[in-house]
Amino acid sequence: MSKQHILVKLGWERYKAPKKKQVHFVEDESANTFLNDFKRFPHAYVLACCMDRQMKAEAAWMIPYKIFQIFGDFSMKTLVSKSASDYEKVFRKYKLHRFPESMGKVFYDAVQRIHKIYADDANNIWKDKPSSATVVYRFLEFNGVGIKIATMATNILARDYKIHFSDYYSIDVSPDVHVRRVMSRMGLVEKKASNDKIIYKARELSPDFPGIIDFSLWLLGRTTCKAGKADCENCLVKKECSRCK
Ligand code: SF4
């Protein structure tokens, strides 16, 4: 059996760790509590994923919570009662997103999809141990959601919420600046590797669950392997990094 790459090892250690009380998405703790409330508001997680584009992730993930504060309620009944133009007005008035018209419509479409297809309960997207491909595909069916967000959303459900799927093959890495920088410094891909190359390298390292290395790469990129300075001395993966060998 070939030796497990350190990134894969770290990823599985994290996956097997007990579930945290709360997943940290934003700096505002009340908003985190709201986003983690899968009993009352599982749709908040899905809607936040749908908002996560064309602006900073932190601001995008705050949008459902801000709408909750504006409406004073976040029940599906209330959300479904609003029209696309209601959302556009709210997005514009409260400057929720850089593109209030299109993202107001994305929000509206997502609410309607959860209402019509998932009977007002977003937990139905991932319940009953579906395959990872099924869950990724279900996220892709939301207006505006691309493969990067769909795999990220599915990966967080598996890794942080410990939601079980029948397999994990279709959860790829979501290439971002941190994933790209660390993989290239480690010598896993070249500096200007395409997203496809990054995804396939992760599949080569961990065919059963390629996205298992995603969070470790992201965290390394945010802490020890920053764009300006690489703190190799204190890096967890230095023994397998081509830059430090
Ligand atoms: S050893 Fe240095 S270059 Fe390699 S991943 Fe760690 S911080 Fe980055």
Side-chain angles (χ1 to χ4, degrees):
M1 209 174 99
S2 61
K3 190 176 154 244
Q4 200 173 46
H5 192 274
I6 186 136
L7 288 169
V8 180
K9 194 166 164 274
L10 287 173
W12 280 111
E13 279 171 15
R14 221 161 243 138
Y15 177 80
K16 286 173 184 160
K19 187 180 168 203
K20 284 190 189 145
K21 199 169 156 235
Q22 181 154 290
V23 181
H24 183 88
F25 293 109
V26 290
E27 290 310 318
D28 183 318
E29 276 317 302
S30 303
N32 279 323
T33 302
F34 167 79
L35 287 165
N36 276 269
D37 189 349
F38 276 32
K39 278 211 175 90
R40 288 197 304 157
F41 310 125
H43 42 287
Y45 175 75
V46 177
L47 291 163
C49 291
C50 291
M51 295 293 101
D52 191 1
R53 61 195 176 103
Q54 296 174 312
M55 74 187 298
K56 289 215 159 128
E58 167 89 20
W61 280 76
M62 282 297 292
I63 292 174
Y65 184 63
K66 286 185 178 170
I67 290 183
F68 168 53
Q69 291 178 312
I70 292 162
F71 291 168
D73 180 23
F74 207 71
S75 66
M76 281 301 294
K77 192 173 173 208
T78 295
L79 297 182
V80 168
S81 71
K82 309 289 181 191
S83 67
S85 81
D86 289 335
Y87 283 112
E88 187 195 326
K89 280 182 206 146
V90 168
F91 270 64
R92 204 178 286 287
K93 182 174 175 189
Y94 295 94
K95 297 186 173 43
L96 296 181
H97 200 283
R98 281 171 63 208
F99 303 103
E101 193 175 327
S102 59
M103 294 309 285
K105 178 72 166 56
V106 164
F107 198 97
Y108 167 80
D109 286 346
V111 166
Q112 293 299 320
R113 184 162 191 84
I114 294 165
H115 174 57
K116 289 177 188 153
I117 309 293
Y118 298 107
D120 287 332
D121 184 359
N123 286 302
N124 287 327
I125 296 171
W126 50 80
K127 86 164 191 195
D128 293 338
K129 224 176 161 188
S131 71
S132 54
T134 298
V135 180
V136 170
Y137 191 81
R138 285 174 179 167
F139 275 103
L140 284 171
E141 287 183 304
F142 282 87
N143 178 15
V145 172
I147 192 66
K148 195 172 153 195
I149 295 297
T151 49
M152 177 205 75
T154 312
N155 207 348
I156 293 171
L157 290 172
R159 184 187 65 223
D160 295 314
Y161 288 104
K162 317 291 181 193
I163 288 170
H164 292 141
F165 304 136
S166 60
D167 67 73
Y168 298 85
Y169 301 118
S170 301
I171 307 179
D172 283 310
V173 287
S174 306
D176 71 357
V177 284
H178 302 301
V179 168
R180 174 182 302 281
R181 182 188 328 111
V182 180
M183 281 181 86
S184 103
R185 282 182 180 169
M186 288 187 79
L188 293 169
V189 295
E190 75 259 22
K191 202 170 177 185
K192 291 191 177 159
S194 63
N195 285 350
D196 285 345
K197 281 186 175 170
I198 290 172
I199 287 167
Y200 274 84
K201 179 52 74 176
R203 289 185 186 178
E204 184 190 5
L205 293 174
S206 181
D208 294 345
F209 188 170
I212 198 80
I213 68 171
D214 192 283
F215 186 73
S216 301
L217 288 165
W218 180 84
L219 196 62
L220 285 164
R222 297 255 302 188
T223 53
T224 49
C225 197
K226 289 184 181 175
K229 186 176 177 291
D231 181 10
C232 303
E233 194 59 34
N234 296 306
C235 181
L236 279 175
V237 300
K238 64 183 174 192
K239 282 193 184 145
E240 290 191 41
C241 179
S242 64
R243 190 160 151 166
C244 292
K245 270 182 186 166

